[in-house]
Amino acid sequence: MATKDRRARKQAPEGGRRLPVTPGPRRGRREPAALPDTISWWAAFYRVIRRIPAGRVCTYGAVAAMAGHPRAARHVGYALAALKETGDGAGVPWQRVLGSRPRHRAAVTIKDPVGGALQRMLLEAEGVEFDDRGNVSLDRFGWFRSTPVAAPAKKARGAAPRKRRS
């Protein structure tokens, strides 16, 4: 009998009276919104990484900034993780991009021990030296261009008219 009372309370919250349900506006099926033209940041990242000379390293954040997309360091990592040896990713020296560390240092950030060892081996073959903790001195081996690589032009939105000063 107790379960019957509980069920009744769930169905009728106000002493046995059911609340009226007013239907909202019906939503018909609409066509999906057109996706905006997307700009592939990855091609810009790959252009910057291809310019890093042998024996030099750069950080994910610096690559993003030089590609014209500051604060997109994580996207650089996604782009490098998706590299293939054909197409856009052919010839990209992925091993020259390291994670930033304090005191102007960088380190291998690949969690996979085999991939991390491969990256370190490729860098050491280029002459990059690691310290006892596996860090690379950016003062000595860092590569940073002062001018960013031009990013693809974005579509201009309707520009607001300029206010004239009298």
Side-chain angles (χ1 to χ4, degrees), residues 134-149:
N135 293 324
V136 175
S137 172
L138 291 176
D139 291 329
R140 187 168 173 203
F141 297 103
W143 178 81
F144 303 99
R145 288 195 46 218
S146 59
T147 57
V149 175

PDB file of all heavy atoms in Angstrom, residues 134-149:
ATOM      1  N   GLY A 134      65.858  15.991 -19.053  1.00  0.00           N
ATOM      2  CA  GLY A 134      65.207  15.842 -20.350  1.00  0.00           C
ATOM      3  C   GLY A 134      64.727  17.147 -20.949  1.00  0.00           C
ATOM      4  O   GLY A 134      63.882  17.136 -21.836  1.00  0.00           O
ATOM      5  N   ASN A 135      65.262  18.266 -20.457  1.00  0.00           N
ATOM      6  CA  ASN A 135      64.875  19.584 -20.978  1.00  0.00           C
ATOM      7  C   ASN A 135      65.877  20.074 -22.012  1.00  0.00           C
ATOM      8  O   ASN A 135      67.045  19.708 -21.989  1.00  0.00           O
ATOM      9  CB  ASN A 135      64.794  20.606 -19.847  1.00  0.00           C
ATOM     10  CG  ASN A 135      63.671  20.297 -18.885  1.00  0.00           C
ATOM     11  OD1 ASN A 135      62.614  19.823 -19.275  1.00  0.00           O
ATOM     12  ND2 ASN A 135      63.900  20.554 -17.609  1.00  0.00           N
ATOM     13  N   VAL A 136      65.396  20.948 -22.885  1.00  0.00           N
ATOM     14  CA  VAL A 136      66.226  21.586 -23.907  1.00  0.00           C
ATOM     15  C   VAL A 136      66.250  23.077 -23.606  1.00  0.00           C
ATOM     16  O   VAL A 136      65.210  23.674 -23.316  1.00  0.00           O
ATOM     17  CB  VAL A 136      65.638  21.342 -25.321  1.00  0.00           C
ATOM     18  CG1 VAL A 136      66.425  22.100 -26.369  1.00  0.00           C
ATOM     19  CG2 VAL A 136      65.605  19.870 -25.640  1.00  0.00           C
ATOM     20  N   SER A 137      67.411  23.693 -23.668  1.00  0.00           N
ATOM     21  CA  SER A 137      67.526  25.121 -23.434  1.00  0.00           C
ATOM     22  C   SER A 137      67.053  25.880 -24.674  1.00  0.00           C
ATOM     23  O   SER A 137      67.617  25.740 -25.758  1.00  0.00           O
ATOM     24  CB  SER A 137      68.976  25.495 -23.133  1.00  0.00           C
ATOM     25  OG  SER A 137      69.122  26.885 -23.085  1.00  0.00           O
ATOM     26  N   LEU A 138      66.033  26.715 -24.483  1.00  0.00           N
ATOM     27  CA  LEU A 138      65.538  27.512 -25.604  1.00  0.00           C
ATOM     28  C   LEU A 138      66.479  28.672 -25.909  1.00  0.00           C
ATOM     29  O   LEU A 138      66.468  29.193 -27.023  1.00  0.00           O
ATOM     30  CB  LEU A 138      64.126  28.023 -25.312  1.00  0.00           C
ATOM     31  CG  LEU A 138      63.043  26.954 -25.281  1.00  0.00           C
ATOM     32  CD1 LEU A 138      61.708  27.560 -24.889  1.00  0.00           C
ATOM     33  CD2 LEU A 138      62.933  26.240 -26.608  1.00  0.00           C
ATOM     34  N   ASP A 139      67.292  29.078 -24.935  1.00  0.00           N
ATOM     35  CA  ASP A 139      68.283  30.115 -25.203  1.00  0.00           C
ATOM     36  C   ASP A 139      69.298  29.637 -26.239  1.00  0.00           C
ATOM     37  O   ASP A 139      69.751  30.396 -27.086  1.00  0.00           O
ATOM     38  CB  ASP A 139      69.020  30.502 -23.918  1.00  0.00           C
ATOM     39  CG  ASP A 139      68.122  31.231 -22.939  1.00  0.00           C
ATOM     40  OD1 ASP A 139      67.207  31.943 -23.395  1.00  0.00           O
ATOM     41  OD2 ASP A 139      68.346  31.087 -21.719  1.00  0.00           O
ATOM     42  N   ARG A 140      69.612  28.373 -26.160  1.00  0.00           N
ATOM     43  CA  ARG A 140      70.648  27.819 -27.030  1.00  0.00           C
ATOM     44  C   ARG A 140      70.084  27.203 -28.314  1.00  0.00           C
ATOM     45  O   ARG A 140      70.668  27.345 -29.383  1.00  0.00           O
ATOM     46  CB  ARG A 140      71.429  26.761 -26.248  1.00  0.00           C
ATOM     47  CG  ARG A 140      72.617  26.245 -26.982  1.00  0.00           C
ATOM     48  CD  ARG A 140      73.509  25.450 -26.074  1.00  0.00           C
ATOM     49  NE  ARG A 140      74.561  24.817 -26.837  1.00  0.00           N
ATOM     50  CZ  ARG A 140      75.215  23.760 -26.446  1.00  0.00           C
ATOM     51  NH1 ARG A 140      74.946  23.216 -25.291  1.00  0.00           N
ATOM     52  NH2 ARG A 140      76.145  23.242 -27.202  1.00  0.00           N
ATOM     53  N   PHE A 141      68.950  26.485 -28.208  1.00  0.00           N
ATOM     54  CA  PHE A 141      68.421  25.741 -29.355  1.00  0.00           C
ATOM     55  C   PHE A 141      67.061  26.251 -29.846  1.00  0.00           C
ATOM     56  O   PHE A 141      66.491  25.686 -30.773  1.00  0.00           O
ATOM     57  CB  PHE A 141      68.286  24.255 -29.007  1.00  0.00           C
ATOM     58  CG  PHE A 141      69.593  23.603 -28.691  1.00  0.00           C
ATOM     59  CD1 PHE A 141      69.948  23.334 -27.374  1.00  0.00           C
ATOM     60  CD2 PHE A 141      70.482  23.280 -29.693  1.00  0.00           C
ATOM     61  CE1 PHE A 141      71.157  22.737 -27.077  1.00  0.00           C
ATOM     62  CE2 PHE A 141      71.695  22.686 -29.404  1.00  0.00           C
ATOM     63  CZ  PHE A 141      72.036  22.412 -28.087  1.00  0.00           C
ATOM     64  N   GLY A 142      66.538  27.295 -29.249  1.00  0.00           N
ATOM     65  CA  GLY A 142      65.219  27.793 -29.631  1.00  0.00           C
ATOM     66  C   GLY A 142      65.226  28.533 -30.955  1.00  0.00           C
ATOM     67  O   GLY A 142      66.221  29.147 -31.342  1.00  0.00           O
ATOM     68  N   TRP A 143      64.126  28.478 -31.651  1.00  0.00           N
ATOM     69  CA  TRP A 143      63.951  29.195 -32.920  1.00  0.00           C
ATOM     70  C   TRP A 143      62.642  29.960 -32.830  1.00  0.00           C
ATOM     71  O   TRP A 143      61.573  29.385 -32.641  1.00  0.00           O
ATOM     72  CB  TRP A 143      63.894  28.218 -34.078  1.00  0.00           C
ATOM     73  CG  TRP A 143      63.681  28.864 -35.407  1.00  0.00           C
ATOM     74  CD1 TRP A 143      64.631  29.459 -36.187  1.00  0.00           C
ATOM     75  CD2 TRP A 143      62.448  28.990 -36.120  1.00  0.00           C
ATOM     76  NE1 TRP A 143      64.056  29.942 -37.330  1.00  0.00           N
ATOM     77  CE2 TRP A 143      62.720  29.667 -37.319  1.00  0.00           C
ATOM     78  CE3 TRP A 143      61.137  28.600 -35.863  1.00  0.00           C
ATOM     79  CZ2 TRP A 143      61.735  29.964 -38.260  1.00  0.00           C
ATOM     80  CZ3 TRP A 143      60.164  28.901 -36.796  1.00  0.00           C
ATOM     81  CH2 TRP A 143      60.464  29.567 -37.976  1.00  0.00           C
ATOM     82  N   PHE A 144      62.736  31.282 -32.933  1.00  0.00           N
ATOM     83  CA  PHE A 144      61.551  32.119 -32.854  1.00  0.00           C
ATOM     84  C   PHE A 144      61.673  33.219 -33.891  1.00  0.00           C
ATOM     85  O   PHE A 144      62.598  34.023 -33.833  1.00  0.00           O
ATOM     86  CB  PHE A 144      61.419  32.739 -31.458  1.00  0.00           C
ATOM     87  CG  PHE A 144      61.370  31.706 -30.376  1.00  0.00           C
ATOM     88  CD1 PHE A 144      62.502  31.396 -29.643  1.00  0.00           C
ATOM     89  CD2 PHE A 144      60.199  31.027 -30.115  1.00  0.00           C
ATOM     90  CE1 PHE A 144      62.460  30.431 -28.662  1.00  0.00           C
ATOM     91  CE2 PHE A 144      60.157  30.061 -29.127  1.00  0.00           C
ATOM     92  CZ  PHE A 144      61.291  29.764 -28.396  1.00  0.00           C
ATOM     93  N   ARG A 145      60.761  33.248 -34.830  1.00  0.00           N
ATOM     94  CA  ARG A 145      60.734  34.334 -35.815  1.00  0.00           C
ATOM     95  C   ARG A 145      60.066  35.529 -35.183  1.00  0.00           C
ATOM     96  O   ARG A 145      59.151  35.396 -34.396  1.00  0.00           O
ATOM     97  CB  ARG A 145      59.930  33.900 -37.036  1.00  0.00           C
ATOM     98  CG  ARG A 145      60.676  32.879 -37.855  1.00  0.00           C
ATOM     99  CD  ARG A 145      60.083  32.723 -39.221  1.00  0.00           C
ATOM    100  NE  ARG A 145      59.823  34.008 -39.809  1.00  0.00           N
ATOM    101  CZ  ARG A 145      58.764  34.268 -40.550  1.00  0.00           C
ATOM    102  NH1 ARG A 145      57.881  33.347 -40.785  1.00  0.00           N
ATOM    103  NH2 ARG A 145      58.590  35.458 -41.067  1.00  0.00           N
ATOM    104  N   SER A 146      60.490  36.710 -35.570  1.00  0.00           N
ATOM    105  CA  SER A 146      59.899  37.909 -34.990  1.00  0.00           C
ATOM    106  C   SER A 146      58.609  38.319 -35.697  1.00  0.00           C
ATOM    107  O   SER A 146      57.756  38.953 -35.119  1.00  0.00           O
ATOM    108  CB  SER A 146      60.898  39.067 -35.033  1.00  0.00           C
ATOM    109  OG  SER A 146      61.265  39.320 -36.368  1.00  0.00           O
ATOM    110  N   THR A 147      58.461  37.959 -36.958  1.00  0.00           N
ATOM    111  CA  THR A 147      57.244  38.329 -37.680  1.00  0.00           C
ATOM    112  C   THR A 147      56.402  37.090 -37.911  1.00  0.00           C
ATOM    113  O   THR A 147      56.910  36.052 -38.343  1.00  0.00           O
ATOM    114  CB  THR A 147      57.583  38.965 -39.043  1.00  0.00           C
ATOM    115  OG1 THR A 147      58.375  38.044 -39.792  1.00  0.00           O
ATOM    116  CG2 THR A 147      58.318  40.269 -38.859  1.00  0.00           C
ATOM    117  N   PRO A 148      55.108  37.158 -37.625  1.00  0.00           N
ATOM    118  CA  PRO A 148      54.265  35.981 -37.805  1.00  0.00           C
ATOM    119  C   PRO A 148      54.042  35.668 -39.282  1.00  0.00           C
ATOM    120  O   PRO A 148      54.088  36.548 -40.133  1.00  0.00           O
ATOM    121  CB  PRO A 148      52.954  36.370 -37.128  1.00  0.00           C
ATOM    122  CG  PRO A 148      52.953  37.844 -37.084  1.00  0.00           C
ATOM    123  CD  PRO A 148      54.395  38.276 -37.064  1.00  0.00           C
ATOM    124  N   VAL A 149      53.805  34.411 -39.574  1.00  0.00           N
ATOM    125  CA  VAL A 149      53.464  33.978 -40.920  1.00  0.00           C
ATOM    126  C   VAL A 149      52.033  34.426 -41.178  1.00  0.00           C
ATOM    127  O   VAL A 149      51.171  34.323 -40.313  1.00  0.00           O
ATOM    128  CB  VAL A 149      53.580  32.444 -41.033  1.00  0.00           C
ATOM    129  CG1 VAL A 149      53.104  31.964 -42.383  1.00  0.00           C
ATOM    130  CG2 VAL A 149      55.001  32.025 -40.789  1.00  0.00           C
TER     131      VAL A 149
END
